[in-house]
Amino acid sequence: MLDATQTRSLTTEKDLEHPIEAVWRAMTDSEWLAVWFFPNDIEPVVGHKFTIWSRPIERWDGEFKCQVLAVEPGRMLRFSWSGGDDELKGFGRYIDTTVTWTISQLPDGGTHFVFIQDGIDAAPTADAVYDVMLKGSQSVLNSLAKRLPDLIEHGA
């Protein structure tokens, strides 16, 4: 039987055709981040508390409470990510996790993006939330790849 404190992590990676400076802006500029991820009020400053607004479901208001934990400009952003509700159908969990986004330049000038989410409950009853978060991480990185050209072309 698993101890209640055991957790698991998910890792999703994607190579992007775009320069690291543009990807960094897409990770840390609230307006750009909202285009491919979720509406938010992020600032890339250690200690900054921010909210990620998702779609409200049942008893949950759709808000994830977050706090910037570490910033290495042009390389890494780490933040806490907490929210949800234990009574949500399908999701069925409150999460209290840490997300780390790391980027590195590829030889062709593109960017390698790594999305890690640590602290997801390892209990079998949390398999649904793990699956939702894994599919979500893949979906948002695909969205970033799709939306980044427009952000670069039209972004202020």
Side-chain angles (χ1 to χ4, degrees):
M1 186 163 148
L2 291 173
D3 182 281
T5 61
Q6 286 187 310
T7 62
R8 55 186 151 177
S9 299
L10 63 84
T11 301
T12 303
E13 301 183 43
K14 187 155 190 78
D15 288 341
L16 304 165
E17 299 175 3
H18 310 288
I20 206 163
E21 298 81 14
V23 176
W24 180 253
R25 182 170 179 194
M27 293 165 52
T28 59
D29 179 289
S30 178
E31 290 182 16
W32 279 38
L33 183 59
V35 169
W36 66 272
F37 193 58
F38 291 103
N40 66 89
D41 58 349
I42 194 170
E43 292 179 23
V45 176
V46 173
H48 174 71
K49 293 181 180 179
F50 66 101
T51 303
I52 294 171
W53 290 280
S54 183
R55 181 174 53 88
I57 305 170
E58 298 169 21
R59 298 175 192 226
W60 177 51
D61 61 7
E63 293 185 3
F64 288 106
K65 298 300 181 190
C66 305
Q67 183 171 6
V68 176
L69 303 174
V71 178
E72 293 178 29
R75 186 182 171 287
M76 185 270 298
L77 176 69
R78 179 175 297 126
F79 56 93
S80 62
W81 180 342
S82 303
D85 190 294
D86 288 337
E87 295 184 26
L88 292 177
K89 293 180 184 124
F91 196 78
R93 289 309 239 196
Y94 177 85
I95 63 168
D96 188 2
T97 62
T98 300
V99 171
T100 304
W101 290 340
T102 306
I103 55 176
S104 57
Q105 188 166 337
L106 294 168
D108 65 1
T111 303
H112 182 70
F113 192 118
V114 180
F115 181 127
I116 299 172
Q117 189 161 11
D118 295 310
I120 300 170
D121 189 345
T125 54
D127 286 350
V129 74
Y130 181 86
D131 290 344
V132 166
M133 300 310 280
L134 180 60
K135 288 176 185 166
S137 67
Q138 295 164 343
S139 176
V140 297
L141 288 185
N142 288 337
S143 180
L144 174 60
K146 182 178 178 181
R147 303 301 304 272
L148 199 50
D150 289 336
L151 286 169
I152 292 168
E153 183 177 347
H154 302 291

